[in-house]
């Protein structure tokens, strides 16, 4: 089985700059979406640093690496460990850049990524920090894979808010975990086995705030990834496009 990918980003219809960044590296089996914050210049820098650092680290070969200064659980697989280290390096790099320049103080970024498992051609790892999301579209149904690191999501899991109330909540955009804000960051990681035809969507909240699971499934269908990306972005723009919109799609295809 092989995995193909495509990505698109759009500034949207309201904002003057695009603070999202994306990375599509099919040769490496690596796909990334990052949504920066901290004011125009800084947000762009943070999301771009995240994509660049993760890419550089994971492109750096398959040898056993030194993972200091990070302590990792000993039972993580080789690929999982590399992903966690890559994201932690990106976090440190953004944090240090934010501390070094008052104009970038407080900058940060979300990150969601997919990376092929070195040991299994039909499996990918999904890593994320923040509220950029991954969805799986299987048999015409879309399912959210990631749990947002957001205040509102905490409220929902504590039973303090319903999903419907959360959609309209004024604190909807407050995230509780982002790359760059502190020196140490926890990374959520899951391993996903794909069947031929399965499509994974990575997106920023500029899409997921406006486009629901059934619309995601309907937009992706069995079309080319390029067509499906265009359709998803256009749908978010049609619904207001109040934020930057970024979508990356990857699909498993039989050899
Ligand atoms: Ca956003």
């Amino acid at each position: 089985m092989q995995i193909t990918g495509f990505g698109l980003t759009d500034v949207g219809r309201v904002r003057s700059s695009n603070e999202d960044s994306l990375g599509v590296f099919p040769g490496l089996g690596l796909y990334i979406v990052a949504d920066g914050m901290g004011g125009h210049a800084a947000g762009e820098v943070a999301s771009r640093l995240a994509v660049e650092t993760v890419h550089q680290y994971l492109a750096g070969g398959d040898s056993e690496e030194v993972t200091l200064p990070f302590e990792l659980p000993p039972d993580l697989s080789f690929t999982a460990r590399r992903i966690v280290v890559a994201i932690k390096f990106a976090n440190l790099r953004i944090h240090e850049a934010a501390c070094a320049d008052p104009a970038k103080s407080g900058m940060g970024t979300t990150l969601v990524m997919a990376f092929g498992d070195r040991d299994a051609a039909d499996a990918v790892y999904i890593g994320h920090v923040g509220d950029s999301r991954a969805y799986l579209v299987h048999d015409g149904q879309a399912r959210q894979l990631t749990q947002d690191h957001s205040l509102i999501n905490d409220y929902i899991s504590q039973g303090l808010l319903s999903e419907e109330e959360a959609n309209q909540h004024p604190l909807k955009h407050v995230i509780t975990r982002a790359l760059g804000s502190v020196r140490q960051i926890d990374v959520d990681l899951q391993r996903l086995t794909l069947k031929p035809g399965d499509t994974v969507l990575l997106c920023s909240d500029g899409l997921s705030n406006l486009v629901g699971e059934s619309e995601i499934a309907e937009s992706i269908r069995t079309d080319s990834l390029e067509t499906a990306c265009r359709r998803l972005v256009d749908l978010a723009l049609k619904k207001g496009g109040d934020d930057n919109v970024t979508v990356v799609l990857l699909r498993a295809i039989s050899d």
Side-chain angles (χ1 to χ4, degrees), residues 75-98:
D75 53 344
L76 280 186
S77 76
F78 179 75
T79 304
R81 201 162 61 237
R82 294 189 75 218
I83 294 168
V84 173
V85 171
I87 296 175
K88 284 174 177 276
F89 266 131
N91 173 62
L92 258 189
R93 204 169 158 201
I94 296 162
H95 183 69
E96 283 167 4

Side-chain angles (χ1 to χ4, degrees), residues 109-139:
T109 184
T110 70
L111 180 134
V112 61
M113 59 173 282
F115 187 53
D117 187 345
R118 180 187 71 164
D119 301 320
D122 63 346
V124 293
Y125 282 91
I126 306 287
H128 90 287
V129 173
D131 67 353
S132 294
R133 291 182 178 173
Y135 293 85
L136 172 67
V137 181
H138 170 79
D139 269 350

Side-chain angles (χ1 to χ4, degrees), residues 41 76 80 150 154:
L76 280 186
S150 68
D154 288 352

Side-chain angles (χ1 to χ4, degrees), residues 15 20 35-36 110 131-132 173 204-207 209 243-245:
R15 308 236 171 146
D20 289 358
D35 178 350
T110 70
D131 67 353
S132 294
H173 300 288
S204 60
D205 66 342
L207 184 87
N209 281 335
D243 194 0
N244 309 141
V245 187

Side-chain angles (χ1 to χ4, degrees), residues 30-70:
L30 173 64
Y31 304 90
I32 312 170
V33 168
D35 178 350
M37 62 209 78
H40 15 281
E44 280 173 50
V45 170
S47 67
R48 203 176 56 236
L49 266 179
V51 171
E52 281 174 9
T53 307
V54 167
H55 174 227
Q56 278 166 12
Y57 186 83
L58 292 176
D62 253 3
S63 56
E64 271 304 323
E65 284 142 298
V66 177
T67 58
L68 292 169
F70 309 118

